[in-house]
């Protein structure tokens, strides 16, 4: 099956501040992500990795250029339309899991599905499947504080893909974990991407993990380049 482009960034410009104080972070940046593909985003601190992920995930607006998701340009969309695309097409994983502390692992994964309008029984079944898939099926009733860092991050990944997005964007998802746990979490993430045809862009400082991805890109002079 030929993979198709699920995310495209075209001539993206992003700067902060104004006049003499203006800081250009992204300049004429292009990027393409295809279904089933994992891409590592490896660049020094402050070069714009989070900015790029936020733009790709429609959390920020570019100052120029275009973000295209599933073949549709997101320029000119209302905030509600952007939110709808974000909820259905994009999953986010952050360095810190941001799970809701008062809910169980299972409930945390059900939440985005219920918001998307799924019935409780369906959401529960999918949440349980995802937990099994991440090899923590036996931890569904536990709250985040009762889980290890690696388990919490696997729940966060399961939650990010609960609504079967096209694109997974991860900002240092294993940055908070020891190398062995990071590798184990990444195994689960990788298996999920391969099995589902999801596309993933993962910012990481971990060169061993980056080496396992299909492609590696960096940010150089405001542009996204392969390395
Ligand atoms: N809202 C903002 N206002 C002003 N400057 C900002 C804003 N957001 C980010 N920046 C600046 O833009 C640059 C890129 O930030 P970004 O968070 O994208 O970097 P990063 O590559 O993800 O860094 P790290 O690896 O440390 O997380 C930094 O110099 C940062 O200080």
């Amino acid at each position: 099956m030929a993979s198709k482009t699920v995310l495209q960034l075209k001539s993206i410009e992003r700067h902060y501040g104004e006049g003499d104080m203006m800081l250009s972070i992204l300049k004429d940046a292009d990027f393409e992500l295809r279904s089933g593909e994992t891409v590592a985003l490896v660049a020094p601190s402050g070069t714009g990795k989070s900015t790029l992920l936020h733009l790709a995930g429609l959390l920020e607006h570019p100052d120029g250029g275009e973000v295209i998701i599933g073949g549709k340009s997101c320029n000119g969309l209302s905030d509600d339309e952007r939110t709808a695309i974000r909820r259905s097409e994009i999953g986010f994983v952050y360095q810190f899991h941001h799970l809701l502390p008062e809910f169980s692992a299972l409930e945390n994964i059900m939440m985005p599905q219920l918001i998307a309008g799924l019935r409780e029984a369906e959401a529960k079944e999918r949440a349980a499947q995802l937990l099994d898939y991440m090899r923590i099926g036996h931890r569904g009733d536990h709250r985040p504080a009762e889980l290890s860092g690696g388990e919490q991050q696997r729940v966060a990944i399961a939650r990010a893909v609960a609504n079967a997005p096209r694109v997974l964007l991860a900002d240092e998802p294993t940055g908070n974990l020891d190398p062995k746990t990071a590798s184990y979490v990444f195994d689960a993430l990788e298996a999920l991407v391969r099995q589902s045809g999801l596309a993933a862009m993962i910012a990481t400082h971990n060169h061993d993990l980056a080496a396992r991805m299909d492609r590696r890109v960096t940010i150089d002079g405001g542009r996204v380049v392969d390395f």
Side-chain angles (χ1 to χ4, degrees), residues 118-138:
L118 241 74
R119 276 203 300 271
E120 197 173 326
E122 288 170 300
K124 196 168 184 177
E125 194 182 334
R126 172 142 174 97
Q129 276 171 357
L130 283 168
L131 278 174
D132 273 345
Y133 201 81
M134 301 303 280
R135 295 189 225 133
I136 40 172
H138 57 297

Side-chain angles (χ1 to χ4, degrees), residues 124-201:
K124 196 168 184 177
E125 194 182 334
R126 172 142 174 97
Q129 276 171 357
L130 283 168
L131 278 174
D132 273 345
Y133 201 81
M134 301 303 280
R135 295 189 225 133
I136 40 172
H138 57 297
R139 308 294 268 159
D141 291 336
H142 292 255
R143 291 185 185 189
E146 298 162 345
L147 301 172
S148 72
E151 287 168 344
Q152 289 170 351
Q153 209 53 334
R154 277 181 282 161
V155 176
I157 292 167
R159 180 185 55 176
V161 301
N163 285 333
R166 285 180 214 253
V167 179
L168 183 71
L169 301 172
D171 201 349
E172 297 189 35
T174 59
N176 197 27
L177 306 173
D178 64 76
K180 200 166 154 230
T181 309
S183 175
Y184 189 64
V185 169
F186 188 76
D187 286 345
L189 178 68
E190 202 175 25
L192 191 73
V193 170
R194 303 284 177 225
Q195 179 258 357
S196 61
L198 184 75
M201 169 150 65

Side-chain angles (χ1 to χ4, degrees), residues 37-50:
E37 180 181 47
T38 54
V39 177
L41 174 58
V42 186
S45 185
T47 45
K49 297 182 297 296
S50 299

